[in-house]
Amino acid sequence: MTDYKKLALYYLKAGKRRCIVTIVGVMITVAVLYTALNFGYSYVLQTRQEVRKEADYEIVFLSEDTDRLAQIAADDRVLQAYSGAYSGEEYVSDEERFVEVNYKNALYVNIRHPYQMESVMEAMKADYGVDARLNNELAVLYLQDSDGLLGVVLILVLLVAYIFAIFAVGMIRNTVQMFTLEQVKDYGILRCIGATKGQLNRIIYRMGAGMELTGIAAGVLLGTFVSVILGFLKNVDVGFHIGPVIPILIAYLGDLYFVMQECSKIVTKMSPVSAVRGEYRIKKEKIKIRGNGLMGRLFGMEGAYARKSVLRNSGRFAKTVTAMMLSITATVICLSTWGMVRDTKKNIDDMYGRYLEEERCPVSIFGDVESIQSDYLFSAEAIKEKALHYYVTEAKLIYSATGNLVDPETYYGKLNQDYIEETSNGTNIEITMQKWRERNTEEYRDGTDVEYKKAIFNLNSSSISIDGCDQNDLDYLSEFIKSGTVDLDDDGILVIGGGSVMDYSWTGDEKLTLYDLGKHFDTYDLQVGDTIQLVDYKEYKKRYQDAYEKMIAESVLVSSEKDADGEYVSEERATKEGRSTGLEQYVIAERIRQELIAEGYYRTYTVQGVLDFGDQIIPEWADIYMKRDSYFDLTGFDEQDMTGVKYAIDLDSVPISYFDMLSSDLTDVLYGYAYARNVMRYALAFAAFVFILSSVNIINTTAGNLHMRRKELAQLRVLGMSRKRLIHTVMLEGVMATALSNILGFLFGTIFTIYIYEYLSMLLYIKPTIAWWAFGVGFAASALVICGSIYVSLRDLPVDIVDDLKLEE
């Protein structure tokens, strides 16, 4: 017999269960790698098509010499060409500025080898003595944006593929090595009857290649299916492409060659006689006397024997523990970090409430609703369109105005002292009130416009934000009611008595990170039954508007600036007394406020409910809340006069690109959450990937190891150990591996999680969180893999142990 090709297939069929597990492991690695490469390649192809729809050229040659451009168009390196005008900007280093360039008859070309467009452009520039530009947006997609990038990208792709190949081929190595050790006598006999080392090598190579090629084919098929689904979800046209398969074949088959060479040395470096005798099994070492250890004290003789079995093959035990430890470490890190990220979502909800985004500009006597809606808010169509986004769960219109108190002390005079001393907002309000209290006793410097200063002090201290609420708004506020009720009368209001703030960090009393949770404070010592008087907004607005128009009509032009067409760009006007109209408007407003108070044009509202927002940040946009009908009655507005819109956002589905439209202080945190959420999804997938690969390796190695210990196990049964007791004894080896890998995995996972928290705390609203339940998940999964693989292998022990006793050691 000189043809041993069929022996490889025979051995694979004999261990088909082990082969299937190995092929599945290879298939998983290939599927993950091919999905990423195929999706990325398809995305690049689709983007190229989109770019070419806008500008279907690769190089534009710039010259006024039409004959020379005609020669370029006829060049063999050019696939197609057309002429047209070109305009753009170029940086002139000597002048350190950009200058505009224009060509009426530029030549736009596509070359035969677009992956070489940069080198072809440089060569043709030298050949024809013309200037040229790449279509940079397209060049990037052909890896032409910098020298050597194509080579770097290919190296990176091959490196990633090789990392995956190490996992996959490592599983094949274990399987083939077990096959080789089990059949070493067969190889010895083959050598005795004339088989050469090369023929034996080919048997081993065929076993490895058979499993690997099968796994690659299955992985590519699965990866194509997954990438098509991913493309459908991401609106990318994905199909099967042979290009991503090439680096996979290079990395996997290249690594397989060297690994199979190592496996073949087991039989080719051994003499045929030694192989037939099974001398490879003899391990020359001194017999060590070992005690029973902890396992013996806990589990008796079975535990002591399991411990000694582990110590006899400490290398295999260490590999099993290390592989599972890495998986558990990754699991603990990912689940703990995921827990922190999920806590961030809860913290954001707790801190900012239901409506995470809003566009608001409260109306006041100094402006009108129409200008606010046109200058600060989106159109009704835009608001409706935004509300239809899948991540927007609710949109509500806002009705808010800046009113004026008759007596500021009735509201701002009741600030809580801790709020004043420990928050910047409380301090600023108290400073404003102190200036108002001292307005008549302050010593003003010469030249100071005292009337204007007093007017500003009065207006600032009396200004108060008012929100008009419908029933849904009141129901939402009922969650925060501290005392009283949200069932308001026409003259009833809600006030804020407490909540959390973020501006306490300036005190230096707390150890804070960049992003911290809010701290709770009591704000105003207002009680149910207290009254607040507000100036009649409608009358105030009417009188002020009439006075303002009269003042502008009687003002004089001080200075102006005109454009080239003679139109006013800006102008400065003043009253006849010399005060600028910009200052005079506040003097007028305060004068009218005092008149209205003296004439009794104000309304009295009773505090019927006190709110405490708890962990939620105190809203910056509202001081008091009233029924919407009461708001309309006070201000004279109606439902068409909204002053903002707010949106409830589903953080689990909002895309990262959404945050490009935001400008609030919360934007960075929301972006950080969305980014971390996406990263963690990939991290969890990678952790699952590592765990599956480790599990496949452990299952494979365990099955092979127990198969090699058949005679040892048979001897134990001959000595009187029952089948059930034997399974229990060997299972204790798995218990040791499971316990040690979980302890180390949880230890390292916790350490790394702490370091990750130090980084994430600079980006997100988080607290340090260790997923203690991850220990249970890791323990259950590792026990299932390690102990399960042992149990399944031992369950298949033959009833007849005579054949196993005949095995030579």
Side-chain angles (χ1 to χ4, degrees), residues 654-766:
V654 62
I656 290 180
S657 58
Y658 166 77
F659 299 104
D660 295 338
M661 302 181 291
L662 297 183
S663 59
S664 66
D665 295 335
L666 183 59
T667 300
D668 289 343
V669 178
L670 294 177
Y671 180 88
Y673 169 78
Y675 181 79
R677 176 201 67 196
N678 290 355
V679 170
M680 286 310 305
R681 287 173 179 173
Y682 292 113
L684 286 170
F686 179 76
F689 173 72
V690 172
F691 179 79
I692 291 173
L693 290 184
S694 300
S695 300
V696 171
N697 258 326
I698 290 172
I699 293 171
N700 219 356
T701 304
T702 300
N705 176 263
L706 291 177
H707 189 76
M708 298 297 296
R709 294 171 60 188
R710 287 177 299 168
K711 184 174 182 179
E712 172 196 342
L713 301 179
Q715 290 172 340
L716 291 174
R717 293 175 65 189
V718 169
L719 292 174
M721 184 176 286
S722 67
R723 183 186 182 89
K724 182 177 180 180
R725 190 178 177 189
L726 175 63
I727 292 176
H728 176 259
T729 300
V730 182
M731 286 283 286
L732 289 176
E733 298 177 23
V735 170
M736 291 178 63
T738 301
L740 185 57
S741 61
N742 274 271
I743 292 172
L744 294 176
F746 197 77
L747 176 63
F748 287 115
T750 302
I751 293 172
F752 283 114
T753 299
I754 293 173
Y755 281 104
I756 291 174
Y757 163 73
E758 294 295 331
Y759 169 73
L760 287 180
S761 64
M762 302 298 290
L763 302 173
L764 303 174
Y765 294 128
I766 62 170

Side-chain angles (χ1 to χ4, degrees), residues 167-223:
F167 285 104
V169 178
M171 290 182 284
I172 292 177
R173 176 187 180 278
N174 289 335
T175 301
V176 173
Q177 195 173 65
M178 290 301 171
F179 278 137
T180 304
L181 292 175
E182 292 169 6
Q183 309 300 335
V184 70
K185 292 184 179 180
D186 291 356
Y187 290 116
I189 293 172
L190 292 175
R191 290 283 304 282
C192 291
I193 63 176
T196 64
K197 293 182 178 181
Q199 289 173 325
L200 298 185
N201 281 339
R202 285 192 286 275
I203 294 175
I204 295 173
Y205 278 101
R206 285 189 175 93
M207 284 195 294
M211 287 187 288
E212 176 135 328
L213 290 174
T214 303
I216 290 175
V220 169
L221 183 63
L222 177 61

